[in-house]
Amino acid sequence: MEIILRENKEIVNSALSENLTNALNAFAKAEDNVKEVAHALGTIMLDELYTEDFTSVKDFANYLSCSTAKLTQFARFEKIMRLNICSDMFEVMSMTQILECARLIEFLSDMRLDSANIEIEIKKFISPAMTCKEIREEVNKLLKTSEVDAEAEAEAEEAAAEVEAVAEVDEDAEEKESLVNYLSELEEGFELDKEDMKVIKRVIELLSK
């Protein structure tokens, strides 16, 4: 890929100008340093440095002769880099290899693991020697297994809730029956006035439903 600026535009935001210069310089290198370009453009996207000079992401992408999807990819790469995990491993991996790990990293982050534990989990299953396809297949397998486990856990929780609900109903029924018996005995064992009797009978009727 390459950056071709569509117009000579004076950039107002100094941070945007600096990162654009870094990206252009990276492209000028013989080895075409994609990760350096991704870092510069990803920084622009994540920090929204383009908003002062461009009306939208699409406008900025058009200025770079680049797709918005590619800019989103760079932002995703930069987000991973900012986690400061697996530095030694990512150093020797390509940007594409690293992006194949993104879904697994996001999944582990959602589990509220800290950076150290995310790195441990990543290194259990991913290595720089793996191809992009192998990494993708491994991530798919891990996420599929996790989905099955989560579904089984949800079903178990639902079953436990149903058992608890039934137990509460049984307990309520026993309590009602006990109270009805008590009031019936009270009615038979004491001489109560008519108003007291009405109240007791009404309570018995309600509890018996």
Side-chain angles (χ1 to χ4, degrees):
M1 65 166 291
E2 62 178 331
I3 292 178
I4 301 176
L5 302 183
R6 286 182 179 267
E7 57 181 298
N8 290 324
K9 181 181 176 71
E10 183 180 351
I11 302 298
V12 175
N13 188 303
S14 58
L16 172 59
S17 179
E18 181 182 346
N19 279 283
L20 281 174
T21 300
N22 291 341
L24 289 167
N25 288 340
F27 271 118
K29 293 180 180 179
E31 66 271 22
D32 190 12
N33 194 334
V34 177
K35 285 201 281 190
E36 192 173 331
V37 172
H39 168 62
L41 295 183
T43 296
I44 291 171
M45 294 301 296
L46 285 184
D47 296 343
E48 298 186 342
L49 302 177
Y50 61 87
T51 56
E52 190 174 353
D53 293 275
F54 299 91
T55 57
S56 65
V57 173
K58 186 175 181 180
D59 187 28
F60 178 51
N62 288 337
Y63 173 72
L64 298 175
S65 301
C66 174
S67 68
T68 56
K70 181 62 70 174
L71 290 178
T72 299
Q73 193 177 54
F74 290 151
R76 202 175 191 191
F77 171 80
E78 177 61 16
K79 187 175 181 180
I80 293 172
M81 293 297 99
R82 290 185 182 188
L83 293 175
N84 292 319
I85 59 172
C86 306
S87 300
D88 55 334
M89 187 167 80
F90 289 165
E91 177 86 24
V92 297
M93 291 173 69
S94 69
M95 184 186 78
T96 310
Q97 282 178 302
I98 294 169
L99 284 172
E100 291 292 355
C101 301
R103 288 185 301 132
L104 180 57
I105 294 171
E106 289 163 2
F107 171 77
L108 294 171
S109 297
D110 288 343
M111 292 177 64
R112 305 296 175 86
L113 296 182
D114 59 24
S115 296
N117 282 305
I118 291 176
E119 179 164 338
I120 290 170
E121 292 301 315
I122 293 293
K123 288 184 174 180
K124 278 183 185 178
F125 305 104
I126 307 297
S127 79
M130 297 169 71
T131 64
C132 290
K133 182 181 178 182
E134 289 170 339
I135 294 173
R136 188 182 315 120
E137 289 174 347
E138 184 66 22
V139 170
N140 286 340
K141 184 173 69 176
L142 290 168
L143 294 183
K144 185 175 182 181
T145 300
S146 297
E147 286 173 4
V148 171
D149 290 345
E151 186 176 342
E153 184 177 345
E155 288 177 354
E157 289 178 357
E158 186 177 343
E162 288 177 358
V163 170
E164 185 176 343
V166 170
E168 288 178 357
V169 169
D170 290 344
E171 185 176 332
D172 288 345
E174 289 176 5
E175 187 175 346
K176 283 182 179 180
E177 184 179 356
S178 175
L179 187 53
V180 168
N181 292 337
Y182 169 76
L183 290 173
S184 297
E185 291 173 2
L186 185 65
E187 180 185 1
E188 294 172 0
F190 293 90
E191 290 186 4
L192 302 172
D193 59 35
K194 289 183 179 180
E195 290 303 315
D196 289 334
M197 290 295 295
K198 284 181 181 179
V199 172
I200 290 176
K201 286 181 177 180
R202 180 58 181 156
V203 172
I204 290 174
E205 287 174 3
L206 291 172
L207 292 174
S208 298
K209 289 181 179 180

